[in-house]
Amino acid sequence: MNALLSFAYTLLTHEIASALQGVGLDPYVGYLHTDRPGRLSLALDMLEEFRAWWCDRFALTLINRKQIKANDFIIEASGAIRMRDETRKAFLTAWQERKQETLQHPYLDEKIQIGLLPHVQATLLAKFLRNDLTVYPPFLSR
């Protein structure tokens, strides 16, 4: 489970970092996570909005649907656990399919693809930081 969660967190963190850069924000300067060289602190801050709803639920769904099973992992001699190549491909395929699904954004009240959530939230954060919004509306799933 930890390997699935770590992979999902990493993928989403980098998508968020890209979205933040796209709206002119530095993904390395955060509020909640301590700034350290090379740490995507702001992207990690924004990841908190999506962690349980997107990543955790996604990993659990893969397991519950038996799309990924225990024998899809290799235990290295060092004790490290890694996904088989076929497993990683199945994970990434399911990840891309999930990003194509739509939802009603609670603040914008518009239907958007899940994969656009990082960009929407980055835009809202940039507007807040530039005083175009009085408060930052975090993504809250219903």
Side-chain angles (χ1 to χ4, degrees):
M1 189 65 181
N2 283 341
L4 292 176
L5 290 173
S6 292
F7 193 38
Y9 298 155
T10 299
L11 288 173
L12 190 53
T13 298
H14 287 284
E15 290 184 30
I16 293 169
S18 176
L20 290 167
Q21 287 177 325
V23 297
L25 297 178
D26 186 346
Y28 292 92
V29 180
Y31 295 95
L32 303 173
H33 290 81
T34 306
D35 291 342
R36 287 197 303 225
R39 181 187 224 178
L40 294 165
S41 296
L42 185 57
L44 292 170
D45 291 350
M46 189 170 282
L47 175 65
E48 297 302 328
E49 294 179 43
F50 304 118
R51 184 185 299 273
W53 177 84
W54 188 337
C55 298
D56 296 3
R57 183 181 289 178
F58 177 76
L60 287 169
T61 298
L62 291 176
I63 291 170
N64 288 338
R65 290 182 180 167
K66 298 183 181 1
Q67 290 173 277
I68 293 183
K69 302 174 211 69
N71 63 356
D72 288 328
F73 297 88
I74 299 168
I75 300 174
E76 302 287 340
S78 65
I81 297 175
R82 114 181 124 79
M83 280 189 249
R84 295 180 186 279
D85 290 343
E86 315 82 56
T87 307
R88 193 171 26 265
K89 182 178 178 182
F91 182 102
L92 290 170
T93 299
W95 181 262
Q96 293 300 335
E97 289 170 358
R98 175 74 172 133
K99 287 173 44 178
Q100 298 303 313
E101 295 174 16
T102 60
L103 59 73
Q104 191 77 14
H105 192 280
Y107 177 76
L108 299 178
D109 198 30
E110 292 180 23
K111 204 168 236 189
I112 64 167
Q113 289 182 335
I114 290 171
L116 293 177
L117 277 174
H119 299 281
V120 169
Q121 291 307 121
T123 300
L124 292 172
L125 179 60
K127 286 184 177 200
F128 168 68
L129 293 173
R130 294 176 181 131
N131 292 320
D132 294 333
L133 292 175
T134 56
V135 296
Y136 169 68
F139 175 75
L140 300 171
S141 63
R142 295 183 180 166

